[in-house]
């Protein structure tokens, strides 16, 4: 007869499994991680035609001045595969804006590639 997990242990395992979905951000070009969409919105709060914004559970961000077709059908909570596609070069110290990630929504099977900031390092 299988042993039953005590309720407290079951809750701990369930909680840890859910937080594992957050993953960590990839650090090398070509590296991927599994995470989820935490939030989707417009680039500027309250201005729906200002472009797109996506926030991932692992702390990653994607920003665009344009509407992003794949994000139209994505929803908060969707699992995504997030891959690092490029790192900014020759940036001023402490200015690492412009890291680019490609995300694939596992539910819709649509992808998008976005930088983590509106401007590249050294820009406005």
């Amino acid at each position: 007869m299988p042993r039953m997990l005590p309720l407290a242990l079951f809750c701990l395992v369930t909680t840890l499994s859910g937080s594992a979905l957050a993953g960590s951000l990839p650090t090398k070009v070509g590296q991927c991680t599994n995470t989820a969409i935490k939030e989707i919105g417009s680039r500027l709060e309250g201005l729906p035609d200002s472009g797109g914004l996506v926030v991932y559970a692992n702390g990653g961000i994607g920003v665009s001045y344009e509407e992003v077709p794949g994000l139209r059908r994505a929803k908060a909570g969707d699992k995504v595969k997030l891959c690092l596609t490029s790192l900014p070069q020759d940036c001023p110290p402490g200015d690492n804006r412009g890291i680019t990630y490609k995300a694939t929504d596992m539910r819709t099977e649509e992808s998008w590639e976005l930088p983590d900031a509106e401007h590249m390092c050294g820009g406005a």
Side-chain angles (χ1 to χ4, degrees):
M1 177 174 196
R3 261 181 89 185
M4 299 290 287
L5 287 175
L7 181 59
L9 182 57
F10 174 77
C11 291
L12 175 63
V13 170
T14 303
T15 301
L16 290 175
S17 297
S19 64
L21 186 59
S24 58
L25 286 171
T27 56
K28 297 178 183 171
V29 173
Q31 185 180 33
C32 300
T33 189
N34 293 318
T35 189
I37 296 174
K38 182 176 179 182
E39 179 182 336
I40 298 175
S42 56
R43 183 178 63 88
L44 300 175
E45 191 173 320
L47 296 173
D49 294 331
S50 63
L53 170 72
V54 59
V55 179
Y56 302 103
N58 63 359
I61 295 174
V63 181
S64 173
Y65 278 100
E66 306 295 324
E67 185 174 332
V68 181
L71 287 179
R72 277 188 258 151
R73 288 169 286 286
K75 297 179 180 180
D78 282 358
K79 295 177 184 176
V80 295
K81 179 178 179 181
L82 189 66
C83 301
L84 178 61
T85 57
S86 70
L87 292 168
Q89 302 293 314
D90 302 318
C91 297
D95 186 357
N96 296 320
R97 295 174 296 164
I99 298 171
T100 304
Y101 299 97
K102 178 180 180 183
T104 302
D105 188 310
M106 306 312 276
R107 181 181 59 83
T108 66
E109 298 182 351
E110 293 185 83
S111 298
W112 53 87
E113 189 168 353
L114 295 171
D116 67 347
E118 297 167 324
H119 301 281
M120 295 298 288
C121 66

